[in-house]
Amino acid sequence: MKKLEEKISQAISLEELEKIRIEVFGKKGILASKFAMLKDVPPSEKRAFAQGLNNKKSHLQRVYDEVYNRLKSEEIEKLLKSEAIDVSLYSNLETKGALHPVIETMDRIIDYFIALNFSVEDGPKIEDDFHNFEALNLPKNHPARDMQDTFFCRDGGVLRTHTSPVQIRTMLAQKPPIRMIAPGAVFRKDYDLTHTPMFHQVEGLVVQKKGEVNFANLKSILSDFLHYMFGDVEVRFRPSFFPFTEPSAEVDISCIFCKGNGCRVCSHTGWLEVLGCGIVDPNVFDAVNYKDVSGYAFGLGVERFAMLLHKIPDLRMLFEGDIRLLEQFR
Ligand code: DAH
């Protein structure tokens, strides 16, 4: 028995210990063969014999457990050491990151307006009905609310469907004149080649004394902006409708893929729609208690700009997190 104990104690690996375990404790092992001898022991000695054997077995089991635990933690220790990351290790492998094209495009847009003295404003992504709809001349049950597939929160809040509510927040917090943009994420229940439930917009708003800004100013700044973004393109303003502006327009550029000749991207129209804009509706100024002012506003989708600038065919690619997309932007 002493020899068995020694054998177990001297095991140097879990593998060796397992072999010993089978040899000693296994069905056909040393202990089993000792127990088998019980049948040849005279009845009067059976009890003492069995008891002695059981004691030895428990003792060996304790020795075994001890050795097992020691070897097991040594193994884990070894594994931790071998798998540890050496942060001091020098590597000359180049692994440069890249700005995500949406962020890069957003930065470019922001740069343009900062240079023209616009401030950059921010607002919450979880909005309330007042800022997202009501104050923007979108009363409850107004059919124009259907234009936007809203995510509603349980407590009555909404995930903002556009960055226009930041107009309202800024006007409520500041006195005119206002000259601001509001970049940020917005949310709509939509998912296909050109729509994702989260995307980014940049909103713009200029408010001055009544009569100081007009549609010509809006046309001028947006035309210049689109030339800055897309280079030598034609720009056209098309009458449209938004509840918060009157009159409203949508802005197109001549298709940058076919130079206006007609292709698949522009649905053979020669034009790409890139912006919404207009003269701020008096009802919006009423909602924020602004008097004797006039202003213009505009809104654009950043992903749409990024897709056009970089010829990205599917909007969803921008959100799949595939490193191969980013690698192309180094
Ligand atoms: N909020 C509009 C949208 O999400 C975009 C927009 C259009 C904003 C016209 C404006 C505007 O400020 O005047 O589709």
Side-chain angles (χ1 to χ4, degrees):
M1 277 301 170
K2 246 290 63 57
K3 260 169 91 186
L4 282 183
E5 188 180 332
E6 248 164 51
K7 194 168 174 154
I8 293 170
S9 304
Q10 282 162 9
I12 53 160
S13 70
L14 283 171
E15 231 169 86
E16 190 191 342
L17 184 67
E18 177 61 8
K19 273 193 200 129
I20 299 173
R21 186 190 68 77
I22 292 165
E23 207 179 302
V24 177
F25 301 97
K27 247 192 219 150
K28 293 179 183 156
I30 298 169
L31 282 171
S33 71
K34 298 242 170 186
F35 276 105
M37 284 156 62
L38 193 61
K39 64 179 194 308
D40 302 324
V41 173
S44 59
E45 290 164 33
K46 262 196 177 37
R47 192 186 160 89
F49 182 88
Q51 211 159 38
L53 213 51
N54 272 323
N55 286 344
K56 275 171 194 151
K57 185 182 172 189
S58 341
H59 175 69
L60 285 177
Q61 186 67 50
R62 271 196 300 278
V63 174
Y64 168 85
D65 288 346
E66 231 168 72
V67 175
Y68 177 85
N69 289 336
R70 176 169 53 77
L71 290 175
K72 188 76 192 168
S73 46
E74 276 172 17
E75 188 186 75
I76 290 170
E77 201 63 31
K78 228 195 272 169
L79 209 65
L80 281 176
K81 270 201 190 115
S82 72
E83 288 182 357
I85 294 168
D86 180 358
V87 289
S88 68
L89 195 66
Y90 175 75
S91 164
N92 59 4
L93 239 174
E94 257 197 65
T95 49
K96 270 194 208 132
L99 266 190
H100 193 281
V102 171
I103 301 298
E104 179 243 4
T105 304
M106 186 124 96
D107 284 351
R108 245 178 95 184
I109 296 169
I110 293 171
D111 281 349
Y112 175 85
F113 288 102
I114 282 184
L116 291 179
N117 228 4
F118 279 67
S119 68
V120 180
E121 306 290 345
D122 202 7
K125 293 182 183 69
I126 300 176
E127 266 296 0
D128 51 37
D129 192 274
F130 174 76
H131 293 89
N132 197 79
F133 294 122
E134 198 91 31
L136 288 162
N137 198 26
L138 269 150
K140 289 197 179 63
N141 304 318
H142 193 286
R145 284 199 183 195
D146 290 347
M147 283 163 76
Q148 309 185 340
D149 301 294
T150 312
F151 285 113
F152 293 95
C153 307
R154 279 205 192 91
D155 62 3
V158 297
L159 296 189
R160 66 179 183 192
T161 55
H162 48 182
T163 39
S164 304
V166 186
Q167 280 190 21
I168 302 300
R169 289 187 178 273
T170 307
M171 285 194 281
L172 286 173
Q174 300 174 22
K175 288 200 183 84
I178 301 276
R179 202 172 169 79
M180 58 148 278
I181 53 167
V186 300
F187 307 87
R188 289 183 202 177
K189 247 169 28 194
D190 229 341
Y191 189 68
D192 61 32
L193 218 74
T194 50
H195 298 88
T196 48
M198 188 278 302
F199 60 103
H200 298 81
Q201 287 188 335
V202 175
E203 180 80 14
L205 173 71
V206 169
V207 182
Q208 296 189 22
K209 273 197 207 122
K210 200 175 194 86
E212 275 185 8
V213 284
N214 54 36
F215 207 93
N217 303 135
L218 173 62
K219 251 186 113 164
S220 157
I221 195 172
L222 289 183
S223 300
D224 189 57
F225 165 65
L226 290 171
H227 288 134
Y228 159 84
M229 290 302 288
F230 295 104
D232 188 18
V233 288
E234 281 190 54
V235 177
R236 79 173 180 190
F237 286 67
R238 216 169 4 90
S240 184
F241 171 79
F242 297 102
F244 23 89
T245 44
E246 181 60 35
S248 304
E250 278 172 303
V251 188
D252 301 336
I253 56 170
S254 52
C255 182
I256 52 177
F257 298 97
C258 62
K259 304 264 177 272
N261 292 323
C263 69
R264 215 173 46 87
V265 183
C266 61
S267 309
H268 303 282
T269 63
W271 295 95
L272 298 164
E273 183 199 318
V274 289
L275 270 165
C277 66
I279 295 297
V280 179
D281 192 293
N283 289 341
V284 175
F285 287 139
D286 284 347
V288 296
N289 218 1
Y290 267 24
K291 304 220 185 305
D292 299 318
V293 291
S294 42
Y296 62 74
F298 54 89
L300 63 90
V302 181
E303 279 78 2
R304 175 139 176 89
F305 274 59
M307 284 174 77
L308 293 175
L309 287 169
H310 297 297
K311 302 190 165 56
I312 299 167
D314 184 340
L315 174 62
R316 292 169 293 195
M317 285 176 152
L318 292 171
F319 302 109
E320 279 166 352
D322 191 326
I323 196 75
R324 287 172 302 181
L325 180 95
L326 278 192
E327 276 169 351
Q328 297 175 64
F329 288 93
R330 282 206 199 120

